[in-house]
Each structure stands twice: as structure tokens, then as C-alpha cells.
Amino acid sequence: MTPEEKIIDILQKNKTAYEIFEHEPVYTNPTMAAALNVTEAETVKSLVLLTKEKKMVVLVLPGDKKVDWKKAAAGIGTKKVSFAKPEEVLDKVGCEVGCVAPFGQLTDLPIFMDKDLTKKEYVFFNPGVHDKSFKIKAWDLKKLCKPTLV
């Protein structure tokens, strides 16, 4: 199963309402927001990070936020985090950087989510591909991701 098929399976099993939008391939949150005609804050940024201890984690942020490296490290429980290499992300998550989905069930990576995402009504995320976006309620995303809030 592709990451997208796994996400659809998770959404359907949990009776979660969702919409799928097809668009030109997007590689950044600003272009995703423009393609969907939504604010960048409504898009989801899922970043695969590497801790000082060489453990991979996923940090999920609103699309308009930049990583605060010190806060991210503290929230994750380590002294330092950095971006995982693109080839490591592809190997571990099964998709390219820029379209990592925010679901912990797709891998064994722990998910850490910015609390601000839960304040949105709806959010949009890439399901492991650059040319589609899923729309779901932000609260459903939190419920399904089972993240640690940071």
C-alpha cells in the first residue's frame, strides 16, 4: 500500500470525513496554499527531524511557521535536532521531503505536533505525493496522529 492508500484506510476505518484535492505538484507550503486557495496557516508542514541521539521523529507544524530549533528540541526531549537527510526520509517514510504525511501509523516514528494546529477548523496536508492534498478537521488530525503536543 502507498502512504496515500494507508491514509485513506485510516480515515475510513475511523469514520473521519475528508476531501481530496488534486493540483499541480507543490513542494512548499506557500505554493500548496496558493494551489488550494487557502491560507498558509491552514496547511500542514510535516518535517522529519534527527535528534542528537540519531533518532528520527516527525514535527508537525502549521505551514506558516518556521522551526524554532531550541523549542523543538526541548519539546522532543533532546538537546539538538536537525533535518533528516532526504534519502533517509525516503527510506524511512516512503515518500520525498515536502510531502510527508502527519500520521504516526505510517511508520514507527513518533509524532510531535505544534499546539496551534489544533486551533484551526480545517487543515490540508499532502498524503505522500506532491500533487494531492487532503482536507480534514484539525481536531480529527490530532485524534488520528496521536501526537505529543509541543
Side-chain angles (χ1 to χ4, degrees):
M1 279 177 111
T2 66
E4 180 182 1
E5 291 167 334
K6 290 177 185 176
I7 291 168
I8 290 171
D9 188 54
I10 291 166
L11 294 170
Q12 289 177 344
K13 281 183 180 172
N14 287 280
K15 296 179 177 37
T16 303
Y18 65 96
E19 290 180 66
I20 300 174
F21 296 86
E22 293 189 22
H23 47 71
E24 291 296 315
V26 295
Y27 298 90
T28 66
N29 288 84
T31 56
M32 178 183 179
L36 296 166
N37 199 27
V38 299
T39 68
E40 196 177 337
E42 293 172 285
T43 67
V44 173
K45 184 184 292 188
S46 300
L47 307 171
V48 181
L49 304 180
L50 195 60
T51 68
K52 182 180 181 195
E53 299 78 21
K54 304 295 182 209
K55 293 184 180 177
M56 291 176 93
V57 301
V58 178
L59 179 63
V60 182
L61 304 168
D64 63 338
K65 278 198 171 181
K66 302 249 186 281
V67 179
D68 179 323
W69 295 102
K70 288 183 180 181
K71 283 184 180 177
I76 291 166
T78 186
K79 291 188 182 209
K80 185 179 178 188
V81 290
S82 59
F83 287 119
K85 293 181 178 155
E87 57 273 12
E88 294 172 321
V89 174
L90 181 60
D91 182 54
K92 186 70 173 174
V93 182
C95 63
E96 295 178 353
V97 169
C99 63
V100 173
F103 287 85
Q105 301 94 321
L106 302 179
T107 66
D108 59 355
L109 299 180
I111 303 290
F112 294 86
M113 181 182 284
D114 185 304
K115 292 178 210 166
D116 286 348
L117 265 177
T118 62
K119 298 173 186 172
K120 313 280 182 226
E121 184 173 359
Y122 288 96
V123 292
F124 298 80
F125 64 89
N126 292 118
V129 294
H130 293 284
D131 60 353
K132 289 183 187 170
S133 295
F134 281 34
K135 175 185 178 183
I136 67 171
K137 288 186 176 182
W139 185 253
D140 287 337
L141 179 65
K142 177 190 174 284
K143 184 175 72 176
L144 295 173
C145 288
K146 300 178 176 84
T148 299
L149 294 178
V150 293

